[in-house]
């Protein structure tokens, strides 16, 4: 049905998470022909009508370019998503993600979903799961192959993941609920109140003070310092506007304190995600005498492209 | 106006916090003549009408017994309360609380408010504040004078305080937002969802698993384990009903891990507060090979009585 002369589209790549959705129309070289972003994350899709939501999003692409294979990552493959795709276990080789794609037949073309990755519990290691970050990780490795030998990938966000890459595979990983804690504490706890009544811009130094405070808690840990976002305001050490910037620093600082541990500074760190958020993590890393080797913003799209290539999706549909 | 033959009432003691209010009518020996509990905490008092709320609560006591001095502790002395009472600084001697009472003249009698205590920031020590727990601490010392030489008092709750007693004074202290975090995470975060759809009773072993998990995080700290309340459910290690008991154990376990540190087991621990909550902390302490030397439920009333005695409130009004 496709015509490669008038229609160079080869793949629709979709990053479909809990609160938002991004889609890219890619040509046979992986170049972006068009892109869109929607707030139709899993939570916003009425009556679980994922098929309808997807068609509404891409119907003009299909009208212009014909049916096209699609590949998606993220919570869309979870129990509450379109179709639950079983996790694959760590250590996860890139090829194993491509081998375990789930496929849904839609009127716009075959819709593939990348499996999530589970870390099975073992001595000294907690069970953990990710959906989406495994694809971002592969995108990072595709963009910078030097990371494949050994790296720590960080995907800051609602649930930050710290993923160890070893010998080209995704190894142990850990989740920090830093973004969700920040949102909850500023919206619903006593810590958020002073800034709510305040229109001033916080001083970036308050963020730095939060990071340094969490870092300096040492093994007692940052939870002990959480209430200081209030007591430092009461003691006159922070302005009302500064309290949430301080809290942000405290939570990110605790994540770094915990995750970096006695890290020997030899394994390169790669930040993956939104530029503003990565900039905050970069700034926070500076308080631990660390700098990211790389910051990658469009890792999901590159990861989806790489997995589609490995799964032979492009070749198949172009015939 | 009082008549000691028909009216033995000597003091009204009030523990007035953010979400609740307790009041006791006490005789000249500190014995309870009557007690009441109300949900008219600071947040529920409309238009800041604290005087009206107080009179509604005690007007029948005053009608039966005549005007009577009152003494209150808790957030009622904060900026958002009836009257802001300046903090006194650590180390705080019991006498200094009695010397700094604020007084409001009301139609029911003089209403005294105990000041809160502030720990000023210093090297290796964060600013911190308490209002109410200083009075509970004095109550604990009054009930068990052996604690005065050296003890660690814990007041589990929304904001747990760990208060060091040295030479009869309240020394350094720290706040853990354990109860508030538990409430926020179960009500608003992804961690609370599995149990919301579930009427089963959790297995107490899930609480124990949470405590042990936080303890075993060591210096990486319990924040790294928070997401395991979800991933362990996804991995089949926890039932839906067990997830919140596990989370409670995780948060209390992290508080204990952080606060006990390299504690040498020599300083006696005293738990102060609600019996059910103290029982949970007692159980959690067992995972750290610790047991409370004492558990005290009615510390606020005893502390208020002790401060009233020291301030001469009883003698004055009985003349």
């Amino acid at each position: 049905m496709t015509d490669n002369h008038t229609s160079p589209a080869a793949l629709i790549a979709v990053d479909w998470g809990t609160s938002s959705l991004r889609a890219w129309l890619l040509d046979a070289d992986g170049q972006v022909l068009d892109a869109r972003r929607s707030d139709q994350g899993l939570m916003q899709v009425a009556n679980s009508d994922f098929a309808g939501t997807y068609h509404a999003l891409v119907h003009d692409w299909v009208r212009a370019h014909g049916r096209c294979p699609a590949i998606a990552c993220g919570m869309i493959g979870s129990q509450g998503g379109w179709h639950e795709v079983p996790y694959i276990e760590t250590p996860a080789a890139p090829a194993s993600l491509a081998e375990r794609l789930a496929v849904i037949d839609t009127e716009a073309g075959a819709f593939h979903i990348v499996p999530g990755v589970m870390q099975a519990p073992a001595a000294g290691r907690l069970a953990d799961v990710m959906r989406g970050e495994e694809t971002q990780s592969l995108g990072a490795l595709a963009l910078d192959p030097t990371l494949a030998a050994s790296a720590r990938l960080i995907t800051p966000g609602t649930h930050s993941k710290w993923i160890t890459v070893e010998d080209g595979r995704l190894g142990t990983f850990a989740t920090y609920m830093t973004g969700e804690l920040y949102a909850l504490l500023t919206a619903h706890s006593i810590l958020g109140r002073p800034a709510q009544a305040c229109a001033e811009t916080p001083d970036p130094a308050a963020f730095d003070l939060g990071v340094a405070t969490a870092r300096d808690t040492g093994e007692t840990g940052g939870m002990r310092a959480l209430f200081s976002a209030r007591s430092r305001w009461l003691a006159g050490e922070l302005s009302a506007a500064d309290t949430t910037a301080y809290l942000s620093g405290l939570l990110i600082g605790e994540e770094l304190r915990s995750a970096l541990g006695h890290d020997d500074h030899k394994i390169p760190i790669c930040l993956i995600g939104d530029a503003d958020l990565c900039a905050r993590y970069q700034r926070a890393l500076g308080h631990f005498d660390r700098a990211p080797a790389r910051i990658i913003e469009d890792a999901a799209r590159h990861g989806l492209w790489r997995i589609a290539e490995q799964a032979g999706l492009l070749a198949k549909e172009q015939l």
Side-chain angles (χ1 to χ4, degrees), chain A:
Chain A
M1 197 191 276
T2 52
D3 173 349
N4 279 324
H5 294 290
T6 61
S7 152
L11 185 73
I12 296 174
V14 184
D15 181 5
W16 203 334
T18 303
S19 58
S20 70
L21 163 59
R22 297 186 69 185
W24 300 268
L25 185 70
L26 304 175
D27 71 12
D29 298 317
Q31 296 303 304
V32 178
L33 300 172
D34 198 4
R36 41 197 67 158
R37 184 190 283 270
S38 147
D39 63 357
Q40 294 284 297
L42 260 65
M43 308 292 284
Q44 280 73 42
V45 172
N47 306 316
S48 299
D49 182 16
F50 298 104
T53 303
Y54 176 63
H55 293 154
L57 189 76
V58 303
H59 79 276
D60 60 327
W61 285 350
V62 175
R63 199 181 323 136
H65 300 272
R67 280 164 59 95
C68 190
I71 183 166
C73 67
M75 291 299 280
I76 192 67
S78 70
Q79 207 183 345
W82 193 346
H83 179 86
E84 187 176 1
V85 189
Y87 295 105
I88 64 171
E89 283 201 13
T90 52
S96 62
L97 293 169
E99 283 160 15
R100 306 283 192 85
L101 296 182
V103 191
I104 301 166
D105 193 33
T106 84
E107 50 188 88
F111 188 93
H112 304 80
I113 306 179
V114 178
V117 173
M118 174 174 280
Q119 170 171 281
R125 203 178 69 188
L126 291 168
D128 213 327
V129 292
M130 59 179 158
R131 284 198 189 271
E133 294 86 356
E134 72 297 323
T135 303
Q136 292 180 304
S137 300
L138 295 204
L141 299 184
L143 286 164
D144 186 347
T146 69
L147 297 170
S150 175
R152 305 187 78 176
L153 313 181
I154 313 172
T155 62
T158 306
H159 298 162
S160 291
K161 307 283 181 188
W162 285 65
I163 303 158
T164 305
V165 178
E166 277 174 351
D167 299 327
R169 300 192 300 177
L170 308 183
T172 56
F173 64 98
T175 303
Y176 290 87
M177 296 179 67
T178 306
E180 183 158 10
L181 280 173
Y182 178 76
L184 287 179
L185 289 168
T186 50
H188 300 292
S189 88
I190 196 170
L191 302 185
R193 280 189 222 148
Q196 277 158 12
C198 173
E200 287 160 61
T201 305
D203 183 345
F207 175 81
D208 292 328
L209 179 64
V211 174
T213 299
R215 179 197 64 202
D216 294 344
T217 58
E219 59 192 270
T220 57
M223 295 309 295
R224 187 187 182 92
L226 209 48
F227 190 67
S228 69
R230 179 170 180 83
S231 50
R232 286 192 136 157
W233 168 66
L234 289 168
E237 293 185 287
L238 287 175
S239 73
D242 287 347
T243 53
T244 50
Y246 174 78
L247 178 62
S248 171
L250 212 49
L251 292 168
I252 292 174
E254 170 60 6
E255 178 182 333
L256 298 187
R257 184 201 68 76
S258 167
L260 290 172
H262 298 296
D263 182 305
D264 64 3
H265 290 227
K266 285 182 187 153
I267 302 174
I269 286 174
C270 172
L271 287 169
I272 298 173
D274 168 77
D276 287 348
L277 194 54
C278 285
R280 295 192 139 209
Y281 272 69
Q282 182 175 22
R283 187 175 175 120
L285 280 165
H287 289 276
F288 291 81
D289 295 323
R290 298 301 301 265
R294 200 133 182 174
I295 299 177
I296 297 175
E297 204 175 349
D298 46 5
R301 172 168 61 83
H302 286 280
L304 288 164
W305 177 257
R306 186 183 189 185
I307 296 169
E309 272 187 322
Q310 289 197 307
L313 300 190
L314 309 167
K316 248 195 306 195
E317 299 273 336
Q318 301 251 323
L319 290 177

